[in-house]
Amino acid sequence: MKNKTITYNYLILFHFLIALAVFVLPVLSKLYALIIPIAGIYLVNKTKNRNNEVLLVCAYLVGVEVFLRMTGGNFNNEYVKFNLVFFMFLGMIYSSFSPSSFIYWFFLILLIPCILITASVDQINIDVKKLLFFNLSGPVCLGVCSIYMYSRRIQFSQLQNILSVMGLPILTTTVYLFLYTPSVRDVVTSTGSNFETSGGFGPNQVSTILGLGIFIFFTQLVLSSKSIKDIILNGFILAFISYRGVVTFSRGGVITGVVMIVCLLFFLYQFSNAKGKTKFGLVLILTSLMGVGVWTYSSIQTRGLIDKRYANKDALGRVKKSNLSGREEIMDTEIKFFLDNPIMGIGAGMGKELRKESGDVIASHNEITRMLAEHGMFGVFGLLILFITPLILFINNRQHLYCLSFYLFWLLTINHAAMRIAAPAFVYALALLSVRITMPEKAEK
């Protein structure tokens, strides 16, 4: 246990140094992006994927994606998603997959009609290949990840390791944000999403990955801290990530992280005995105090603007007309597209192209309405598969304490950030794992 703690501490330090190195010499981000899959291939081939090492590699890729994109390390926007698909197929070669996962093969088949519709468009100014990659890489990644993870048996301790591996590069991202904007007070002037506090990258995606990081390091604090030093370290990291997540001024990711934690606390309470329930009360009090502390500090650093942001007010305190930063209009148009084309839909990526005619060139932020509009009834069936399957599996897999937290992360994220990054696809698939909690055996007297 002591060696494991030392290794964890060194990994934390190492990922601090990665952020510093890339900040000083940005070209290292490309090298970093290249080394990860190469090291992953070596690891999986060496171990023959005996302990589902592909999940560790993919978890790391998911955690590092936003960092690579904000630092110019990605070779293209879908780089991590392509890598996830590759490693999942590599894992299937070594470890096969459940025959029952056919439901997700069917989900992938349901994506084909919209491809045919988009491919039949003959407008010169439309890049069909780009449209298909941008809009279908997320669903395809989700489908392939789900096929690999469907009912795959795994120990809870292994799942915790997967989360730890995912959290390390999220910490790197947070440190980089601090280096990029050490003084939040100097750059916050309004209640809109802030690119300066988001490393110059999309606040929505940054908030999403930091919200996931909040949940991960909360689990580290509550379930993996075996000493006072561990509690202090994980508590500091949790507060640090929470603060930087809040000051992106993008609410979706932070709210999602909090909802995941609340869901987990509910199940921890349900599974606890009398002694555990007493500890649960202490955890709840400490978590609440930390949350109040982070929020108070954020409010001070932003001169109260963060309070107005979450109250949906502008810098002058006036209530904004839109609760979703104008996304309601896009959702309304997509629902209209679905009602006009209920069977086949309008084709992958065509929603944005049709909105251009009215001067609105913003891509959809809501994966649900996008699938309805662009896939029609095929999208309806696809969404039903995604909504229902994890819940059915959970009925017979109550030891998967994170299942509903993962499910909620996916559901809430696709409603405000679509599937721009790989995180919702991979985390959704984690909810399909068959998790077993192994109690440590007592030593013989």
CSV table of all heavy atoms in Angstrom, one decimal, residues 346-384:
chain,number,residue,atom,x,y,z
A,346,ILE,N,-32.8,14.6,-41.9
A,346,ILE,CA,-32.3,15.5,-43.0
A,346,ILE,C,-30.9,15.2,-43.3
A,346,ILE,O,-30.3,15.8,-44.2
A,346,ILE,CB,-32.3,17.0,-42.5
A,346,ILE,CG1,-31.6,17.2,-41.2
A,346,ILE,CG2,-33.8,17.4,-42.3
A,346,ILE,CD1,-31.5,18.6,-40.7
A,347,GLY,N,-30.3,14.2,-42.7
A,347,GLY,CA,-28.9,13.8,-43.0
A,347,GLY,C,-27.9,14.3,-42.0
A,347,GLY,O,-28.1,15.4,-41.4
A,348,ALA,N,-26.8,13.5,-41.7
A,348,ALA,CA,-25.8,13.9,-40.8
A,348,ALA,C,-25.2,15.2,-41.1
A,348,ALA,O,-24.7,15.4,-42.2
A,348,ALA,CB,-24.8,12.8,-40.7
A,349,GLY,N,-25.2,16.2,-40.2
A,349,GLY,CA,-24.5,17.5,-40.3
A,349,GLY,C,-25.3,18.5,-41.1
A,349,GLY,O,-24.9,19.6,-41.2
A,350,MET,N,-26.5,18.1,-41.6
A,350,MET,CA,-27.3,19.0,-42.5
A,350,MET,C,-28.0,20.1,-41.7
A,350,MET,O,-28.5,21.1,-42.2
A,350,MET,CB,-28.2,18.2,-43.4
A,350,MET,CG,-27.5,17.4,-44.4
A,350,MET,SD,-26.4,18.3,-45.4
A,350,MET,CE,-27.5,19.5,-46.2
A,351,GLY,N,-28.2,19.9,-40.4
A,351,GLY,CA,-28.9,20.8,-39.5
A,351,GLY,C,-28.1,22.2,-39.6
A,351,GLY,O,-28.8,23.2,-39.8
A,352,LYS,N,-26.8,22.2,-39.4
A,352,LYS,CA,-26.0,23.4,-39.4
A,352,LYS,C,-26.1,24.0,-40.8
A,352,LYS,O,-26.2,25.3,-40.9
A,352,LYS,CB,-24.6,23.1,-39.0
A,352,LYS,CG,-23.7,24.3,-39.0
A,352,LYS,CD,-22.3,23.9,-38.7
A,352,LYS,CE,-21.3,25.1,-38.7
A,352,LYS,NZ,-19.9,24.8,-38.3
A,353,GLU,N,-26.0,23.2,-41.8
A,353,GLU,CA,-26.0,23.7,-43.2
A,353,GLU,C,-27.4,24.4,-43.5
A,353,GLU,O,-27.4,25.5,-44.1
A,353,GLU,CB,-25.8,22.6,-44.2
A,353,GLU,CG,-24.4,21.9,-44.1
A,353,GLU,CD,-23.3,22.9,-44.3
A,353,GLU,OE1,-23.4,23.8,-45.2
A,353,GLU,OE2,-22.3,22.8,-43.5
A,354,LEU,N,-28.5,23.8,-43.1
A,354,LEU,CA,-29.8,24.4,-43.3
A,354,LEU,C,-30.0,25.7,-42.5
A,354,LEU,O,-30.7,26.6,-42.9
A,354,LEU,CB,-30.9,23.4,-43.0
A,354,LEU,CG,-31.0,22.2,-43.9
A,354,LEU,CD1,-32.1,21.2,-43.5
A,354,LEU,CD2,-31.2,22.7,-45.4
A,355,ARG,N,-29.4,25.7,-41.3
A,355,ARG,CA,-29.5,27.0,-40.5
A,355,ARG,C,-28.7,28.1,-41.1
A,355,ARG,O,-29.0,29.3,-40.8
A,355,ARG,CB,-29.0,26.7,-39.0
A,355,ARG,CG,-30.1,25.9,-38.2
A,355,ARG,CD,-29.7,26.0,-36.7
A,355,ARG,NE,-28.5,25.2,-36.5
A,355,ARG,CZ,-28.4,23.9,-36.2
A,355,ARG,NH1,-29.6,23.2,-36.2
A,355,ARG,NH2,-27.3,23.3,-36.0
A,356,LYS,N,-27.7,27.8,-41.9
A,356,LYS,CA,-26.9,28.9,-42.5
A,356,LYS,C,-27.8,29.8,-43.4
A,356,LYS,O,-27.5,30.9,-43.6
A,356,LYS,CB,-25.8,28.2,-43.4
A,356,LYS,CG,-24.6,27.7,-42.6
A,356,LYS,CD,-23.6,27.2,-43.6
A,356,LYS,CE,-22.3,26.7,-42.8
A,356,LYS,NZ,-21.3,26.1,-43.7
A,357,GLU,N,-28.9,29.2,-43.9
A,357,GLU,CA,-29.7,29.9,-44.8
A,357,GLU,C,-30.4,31.1,-44.1
A,357,GLU,O,-30.8,32.1,-44.7
A,357,GLU,CB,-30.8,29.0,-45.4
A,357,GLU,CG,-30.2,27.9,-46.3
A,357,GLU,CD,-31.3,27.0,-46.8
A,357,GLU,OE1,-32.5,27.2,-46.5
A,357,GLU,OE2,-30.9,26.0,-47.5
A,358,SER,N,-30.6,30.9,-42.7
A,358,SER,CA,-31.2,32.0,-41.9
A,358,SER,C,-30.1,32.8,-41.2
A,358,SER,O,-30.4,33.6,-40.3
A,358,SER,CB,-32.2,31.4,-40.9
A,358,SER,OG,-31.5,30.5,-40.1
A,359,GLY,N,-28.8,32.6,-41.5
A,359,GLY,CA,-27.7,33.3,-40.9
A,359,GLY,C,-27.2,32.8,-39.7
A,359,GLY,O,-26.3,33.3,-39.1
A,360,ASP,N,-27.7,31.6,-39.2
A,360,ASP,CA,-27.2,31.0,-38.0
A,360,ASP,C,-26.3,29.8,-38.4
A,360,ASP,O,-26.8,28.8,-38.9
A,360,ASP,CB,-28.4,30.5,-37.2
A,360,ASP,CG,-28.0,30.0,-35.8
A,360,ASP,OD1,-26.8,30.0,-35.5
A,360,ASP,OD2,-28.9,29.7,-35.0
A,361,VAL,N,-25.0,29.9,-38.1
A,361,VAL,CA,-24.0,28.9,-38.5
A,361,VAL,C,-23.5,28.1,-37.3
A,361,VAL,O,-22.5,27.4,-37.4
A,361,VAL,CB,-22.9,29.5,-39.3
A,361,VAL,CG1,-23.3,30.1,-40.5
A,361,VAL,CG2,-22.1,30.6,-38.4
A,362,ILE,N,-24.2,28.2,-36.2
A,362,ILE,CA,-23.8,27.5,-35.0
A,362,ILE,C,-24.2,26.0,-35.0
A,362,ILE,O,-25.3,25.7,-35.3
A,362,ILE,CB,-24.4,28.1,-33.7
A,362,ILE,CG1,-23.9,29.6,-33.6
A,362,ILE,CG2,-23.9,27.4,-32.4
A,362,ILE,CD1,-24.6,30.3,-32.4
A,363,ALA,N,-23.2,25.1,-34.8
A,363,ALA,CA,-23.5,23.7,-34.7
A,363,ALA,C,-24.3,23.4,-33.5
A,363,ALA,O,-24.3,24.1,-32.5
A,363,ALA,CB,-22.2,22.9,-34.7
A,364,SER,N,-25.0,22.3,-33.6
A,364,SER,CA,-25.9,21.9,-32.5
A,364,SER,C,-25.1,21.5,-31.2
A,364,SER,O,-24.0,20.9,-31.3
A,364,SER,CB,-26.7,20.6,-32.9
A,364,SER,OG,-27.5,20.2,-31.8
A,365,HIS,N,-25.6,21.9,-30.0
A,365,HIS,CA,-25.0,21.6,-28.8
A,365,HIS,C,-25.7,20.5,-28.1
A,365,HIS,O,-25.3,20.0,-27.0
A,365,HIS,CB,-24.9,22.8,-27.8
A,365,HIS,CG,-23.9,23.8,-28.2
A,365,HIS,ND1,-24.0,24.6,-29.3
A,365,HIS,CD2,-22.7,24.1,-27.6
A,365,HIS,CE1,-22.9,25.4,-29.3
A,365,HIS,NE2,-22.1,25.1,-28.3
A,366,ASN,N,-26.8,20.0,-28.7
A,366,ASN,CA,-27.7,19.0,-28.1
A,366,ASN,C,-27.8,17.8,-29.0
A,366,ASN,O,-28.3,17.8,-30.1
A,366,ASN,CB,-29.1,19.6,-27.9
A,366,ASN,CG,-30.0,18.7,-27.0
A,366,ASN,OD1,-30.2,17.5,-27.4
A,366,ASN,ND2,-30.4,19.2,-25.9
A,367,GLU,N,-27.2,16.7,-28.5
A,367,GLU,CA,-27.1,15.5,-29.3
A,367,GLU,C,-28.4,14.8,-29.5
A,367,GLU,O,-28.7,14.2,-30.5
A,367,GLU,CB,-26.1,14.5,-28.6
A,367,GLU,CG,-25.7,13.3,-29.5
A,367,GLU,CD,-24.8,13.7,-30.7
A,367,GLU,OE1,-24.3,14.9,-30.7
A,367,GLU,OE2,-24.7,12.9,-31.6
A,368,ILE,N,-29.3,15.0,-28.5
A,368,ILE,CA,-30.7,14.4,-28.6
A,368,ILE,C,-31.5,15.0,-29.8
A,368,ILE,O,-32.0,14.3,-30.6
A,368,ILE,CB,-31.4,14.6,-27.3
A,368,ILE,CG1,-30.7,13.8,-26.2
A,368,ILE,CG2,-32.9,14.0,-27.4
A,368,ILE,CD1,-31.3,13.9,-24.8
A,369,THR,N,-31.6,16.3,-29.8
A,369,THR,CA,-32.4,17.0,-30.8
A,369,THR,C,-31.6,16.8,-32.2
A,369,THR,O,-32.3,16.8,-33.2
A,369,THR,CB,-32.6,18.5,-30.5
A,369,THR,OG1,-31.4,19.1,-30.3
A,369,THR,CG2,-33.5,18.6,-29.3
A,370,ARG,N,-30.3,16.8,-32.2
A,370,ARG,CA,-29.6,16.6,-33.4
A,370,ARG,C,-29.9,15.3,-34.0
A,370,ARG,O,-30.1,15.1,-35.2
A,370,ARG,CB,-28.1,16.7,-33.2
A,370,ARG,CG,-27.2,16.7,-34.5
A,370,ARG,CD,-25.8,16.4,-34.2
A,370,ARG,NE,-25.6,15.0,-33.8
A,370,ARG,CZ,-25.7,13.9,-34.7
A,370,ARG,NH1,-25.9,14.1,-35.9
A,370,ARG,NH2,-25.5,12.7,-34.2
A,371,MET,N,-29.9,14.2,-33.2
A,371,MET,CA,-30.2,12.9,-33.7
A,371,MET,C,-31.6,12.8,-34.2
A,371,MET,O,-31.8,12.1,-35.2
A,371,MET,CB,-29.9,11.8,-32.6
A,371,MET,CG,-28.4,11.5,-32.4
A,371,MET,SD,-28.2,10.0,-31.4
A,371,MET,CE,-28.7,8.8,-32.5
A,372,LEU,N,-32.5,13.4,-33.6
A,372,LEU,CA,-33.9,13.4,-34.1
A,372,LEU,C,-34.0,14.1,-35.4
A,372,LEU,O,-34.6,13.6,-36.4
A,372,LEU,CB,-34.8,14.1,-33.1
A,372,LEU,CG,-35.0,13.5,-31.7
A,372,LEU,CD1,-35.9,14.3,-30.8
A,372,LEU,CD2,-35.7,12.1,-31.9
A,373,ALA,N,-33.4,15.3,-35.5
A,373,ALA,CA,-33.4,16.0,-36.8
A,373,ALA,C,-32.7,15.3,-37.9
A,373,ALA,O,-33.2,15.3,-39.0
A,373,ALA,CB,-32.9,17.4,-36.6
A,374,GLU,N,-31.5,14.8,-37.7
A,374,GLU,CA,-30.7,14.4,-38.7
A,374,GLU,C,-30.8,12.9,-39.0
A,374,GLU,O,-30.5,12.4,-40.1
A,374,GLU,CB,-29.2,14.7,-38.4
A,374,GLU,CG,-29.0,16.2,-38.3
A,374,GLU,CD,-27.5,16.5,-38.0
A,374,GLU,OE1,-26.7,15.6,-37.9
A,374,GLU,OE2,-27.2,17.7,-37.8
A,375,HIS,N,-31.4,12.1,-38.1
A,375,HIS,CA,-31.6,10.7,-38.3
A,375,HIS,C,-33.0,10.2,-38.3
A,375,HIS,O,-33.3,9.1,-38.7
A,375,HIS,CB,-30.9,9.9,-37.1
A,375,HIS,CG,-29.4,10.1,-37.0
A,375,HIS,ND1,-28.5,9.2,-37.4
A,375,HIS,CD2,-28.7,11.2,-36.6
A,375,HIS,CE1,-27.3,9.7,-37.2
A,375,HIS,NE2,-27.4,10.9,-36.7
A,376,GLY,N,-34.0,11.1,-38.0
A,376,GLY,CA,-35.4,10.8,-38.1
A,376,GLY,C,-35.7,9.6,-37.1
A,376,GLY,O,-35.3,9.6,-36.0
A,377,MET,N,-36.6,8.7,-37.6
A,377,MET,CA,-37.0,7.6,-36.7
A,377,MET,C,-35.8,6.7,-36.4
A,377,MET,O,-35.8,6.0,-35.3
A,377,MET,CB,-38.1,6.8,-37.5
A,377,MET,CG,-39.4,7.5,-37.5
A,377,MET,SD,-40.1,7.9,-35.9
A,377,MET,CE,-40.2,6.3,-35.1
A,378,PHE,N,-34.8,6.6,-37.2
A,378,PHE,CA,-33.6,5.8,-36.9
A,378,PHE,C,-32.9,6.4,-35.7
A,378,PHE,O,-32.4,5.7,-34.8
A,378,PHE,CB,-32.7,5.8,-38.1
A,378,PHE,CG,-33.2,5.1,-39.3
A,378,PHE,CD1,-33.8,5.8,-40.3
A,378,PHE,CD2,-33.2,3.7,-39.4
A,378,PHE,CE1,-34.4,5.2,-41.4
A,378,PHE,CE2,-33.7,3.1,-40.5
A,378,PHE,CZ,-34.3,3.8,-41.5
A,379,GLY,N,-33.0,7.8,-35.5
A,379,GLY,CA,-32.4,8.4,-34.4
A,379,GLY,C,-33.3,8.1,-33.1
A,379,GLY,O,-32.7,8.0,-32.0
A,380,VAL,N,-34.6,8.1,-33.3
A,380,VAL,CA,-35.5,7.7,-32.2
A,380,VAL,C,-35.1,6.3,-31.6
A,380,VAL,O,-34.9,6.2,-30.4
A,380,VAL,CB,-36.9,7.8,-32.6
A,380,VAL,CG1,-37.8,7.3,-31.4
A,380,VAL,CG2,-37.3,9.2,-33.0
A,381,PHE,N,-35.0,5.4,-32.5
A,381,PHE,CA,-34.6,4.0,-32.1
A,381,PHE,C,-33.2,4.0,-31.4
A,381,PHE,O,-33.0,3.3,-30.4
A,381,PHE,CB,-34.7,3.0,-33.2
A,381,PHE,CG,-36.1,2.8,-33.8
A,381,PHE,CD1,-36.3,2.8,-35.1
A,381,PHE,CD2,-37.1,2.6,-32.9
A,381,PHE,CE1,-37.6,2.6,-35.6
A,381,PHE,CE2,-38.4,2.5,-33.4
A,381,PHE,CZ,-38.7,2.5,-34.8
A,382,GLY,N,-32.3,4.7,-32.0
A,382,GLY,CA,-30.9,4.8,-31.5
A,382,GLY,C,-30.9,5.4,-30.1
A,382,GLY,O,-30.3,4.8,-29.2
A,383,LEU,N,-31.7,6.4,-29.9
A,383,LEU,CA,-31.7,7.0,-28.5
A,383,LEU,C,-32.4,6.1,-27.5
A,383,LEU,O,-32.0,6.1,-26.4
A,383,LEU,CB,-32.5,8.4,-28.6
A,383,LEU,CG,-31.8,9.5,-29.3
A,383,LEU,CD1,-32.7,10.7,-29.5
A,383,LEU,CD2,-30.5,10.0,-28.5
A,384,LEU,N,-33.4,5.4,-27.9
A,384,LEU,CA,-34.1,4.4,-27.0
A,384,LEU,C,-33.1,3.4,-26.5
A,384,LEU,O,-33.1,3.0,-25.4
A,384,LEU,CB,-35.3,3.8,-27.7
A,384,LEU,CG,-36.5,4.7,-27.9
A,384,LEU,CD1,-37.6,3.9,-28.7
A,384,LEU,CD2,-37.1,5.1,-26.5
